[in-house]
Structure formats: structure tokens, C-alpha cells
């Protein structure tokens, strides 16, 4: 991933600039009605008032709670989506999407860790679990120099040449209080094969 992210400062500036930006109307989209979705976990019911975020070019989508803010930017060959749920939930969401048909789910986890370290976090990951042909999940503990201790759920997905990393994080307190919401966000992630 280092070859794609040449200036880590760009990421930090982008993330800070999104903290107060509401979704623009073109950042929200209806779930596609054609094509085949490979959903991470179909057992999690999605609340009716949640918003579906869909990125047509890279072919992925997922649901977030109403009131979530953030946006998408392309940095090099990586699409980076940065979102923040309402303060009452205190959940941060990062999605990285890029193409490289040689990568495994372990490679994607390593890319996620590299991304988080570039943001100043010290991350201690657990083992990949729930592994299928397309997806795997890992939980991790994190320490940020100014934000303190937190928890992360990292979802990695591969689909032929497309790679996806979804990082869902919160303070230890907010993670424990909102784990069902975190499961629903990650479980609703979809890769769209026909686009």
C-alpha cells in the first residue's frame, strides 16, 4: 500500500476536513437493483432509517445510521471513504478500495494496519475469523496518542481484482455500548460483481 499512499499527511488533512462535513446528496445513493451483491453477513437486519452509501466506480456499498457525516476522496489509486456516525454513537468508519488481483485477505489486513499506523495509531490485531471466500474479520485494540484507547473491527474483502478494507472503530466505551451497530455496519457491506 505504501506505493499508493505517498504522502500520509494528505490522509490526515482529508480526515480532519471531513469531521464536520455532512453527506452531500451525491454521496448517498439507492442500493442497486441489478447485479449480484456479495454481502459480508446477511443475518444482520438493517434499520429502516439507515442510509445506503454506494460507490459505483469501485462497486461497493453499505448502510450507516442516519446522521452519519463524511465523504469520499481518491488518493492515488485508492478510494478512501471516511465517515463519522452521530456523536451519540461515536463510531468512525474508514473504507479503502483499490485493485490488485495478487492480494490475499492477510495482505489486506496488513494494509489496514499500515493505514492505521500512518494515522498515528498503535494497533494490536487478533486473528482473522469468519473467513469465507470473499471476507474475513479481525478485532483489534488500538491506542492513539491523543484519543487514547479504542477498539476496531476490520473487515477485509476480495473480489477477483477488487480489494476492500472497512475499519470500524470507537473508544473502548463506545465500542462496547454500540457493538450491535458496529456488527450491522460491517455485516451490511456489499461487493457488487456486475457494475
Amino acid at each position: 500500500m505504501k506505493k499508493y499512499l505517498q504522502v500520509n499527511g494528505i490522509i490526515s488533512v482529508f480526515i480532519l476536513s471531513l469531521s464536520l462535513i455532512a453527506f452531500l446528496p451525491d454521496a448517498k445513493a439507492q442500493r442497486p437493483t441489478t447485479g449480484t451483491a456479495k454481502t459480508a453477513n446477511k443475518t444482520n437486519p438493517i434499520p429502516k432509517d439507515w442510509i445506503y452509501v454506494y460507490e459505483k466506480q469501485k462497486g461497493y456499498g453499505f448502510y450507516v445510521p442516519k446522521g452519519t457525516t463524511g465523504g469520499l476522496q481518491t488518493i492515488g489509486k485508492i478510494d478512501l471513504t471516511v465517515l463519522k456516525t452521530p456523536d451519540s454513537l461515536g463510531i468512525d468508519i474508514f473504507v479503502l478500495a483499490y485493485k490488485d488481483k495478487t492480494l490475499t485477505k492477510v495482505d489486506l489486513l496488513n494494509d489496514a494496519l499500515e493505514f492505521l499506523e500512518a494515522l498515528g495509531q498503535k494497533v494490536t490485531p487478533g486473528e482473522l475469523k469468519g473467513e469465507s471466500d470473499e471476507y474475513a474479520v479481525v478485532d483489534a485494540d488500538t491506542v492513539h496518542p491523543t484519543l487514547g484507547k479504542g477498539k476496531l473491527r476490520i473487515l477485509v474483502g476480495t473480489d477477483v481484482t477488487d480489494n476492500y478494507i472497512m475499519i470500524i472503530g470507537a473508544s473502548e466505551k463506545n465500542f462496547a455500548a454500540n457493538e450491535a451497530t458496529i456488527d450491522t455496519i460491517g455485516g451490511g457491506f456489499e461487493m457488487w460483481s456486475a457494475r
Side-chain angles (χ1 to χ4, degrees):
M1 179 176 280
K2 285 181 183 176
K3 62 185 174 185
Y4 296 127
L5 298 176
Q6 298 174 357
V7 182
N8 291 333
I10 293 174
I11 297 172
S12 299
V13 170
F14 174 65
I15 290 167
L16 291 173
S17 69
L18 289 176
S19 61
L20 299 175
I21 299 173
F23 265 127
L24 298 174
D26 61 353
K28 294 185 278 188
Q30 294 296 316
R31 189 171 184 265
T33 55
T34 60
T36 304
K38 295 176 183 174
T39 307
N41 184 349
K42 295 180 182 180
T43 62
N44 294 343
I46 306 293
K48 291 182 181 181
D49 65 341
W50 280 28
I51 300 164
Y52 189 74
V53 178
Y54 178 60
E55 206 299 305
K56 185 176 182 179
Q57 193 68 25
K58 290 285 195 283
Y60 66 90
F62 56 96
Y63 294 89
V64 293
K66 185 177 180 180
T68 297
T69 58
L72 166 77
Q73 182 169 338
T74 301
I75 302 171
K77 296 182 179 181
I78 298 176
D79 281 355
L80 172 62
T81 301
V82 180
L83 306 172
K84 185 166 185 61
T85 63
D87 288 341
S88 60
L89 298 173
I91 300 169
D92 297 314
I93 305 162
F94 301 93
V95 178
L96 295 89
Y98 50 100
K99 290 186 177 291
D100 185 338
K101 66 181 178 181
T102 67
L103 299 180
T104 66
K105 289 185 276 304
V106 172
D107 294 329
L108 295 179
L109 174 58
N110 290 332
D111 285 352
L113 298 176
E114 183 182 315
F115 171 78
L116 291 162
E117 288 167 5
L119 297 178
Q121 297 190 44
K122 181 180 178 186
V123 183
T124 306
E127 296 294 319
L128 285 171
K129 59 185 179 182
E131 194 161 355
S132 66
D133 288 343
E134 293 89 19
Y135 293 104
V137 177
V138 65
D139 285 345
D141 295 318
T142 183
V143 179
H144 188 277
T146 57
L147 301 175
K149 292 182 179 181
K151 292 271 209 193
L152 303 169
R153 182 148 299 145
I154 304 169
L155 172 73
V156 295
T158 61
D159 186 25
V160 189
T161 63
D162 296 316
N163 302 294
Y164 306 95
I165 299 168
M166 175 181 255
I167 302 166
I168 309 167
S171 68
E172 289 180 329
K173 178 183 172 184
N174 285 344
F175 193 96
N178 297 295
E179 192 163 5
T181 300
I182 290 166
D183 285 341
T184 303
I185 293 168
F189 187 89
E190 299 175 321
M191 302 182 289
W192 289 85
S193 296
R195 54 188 185 282

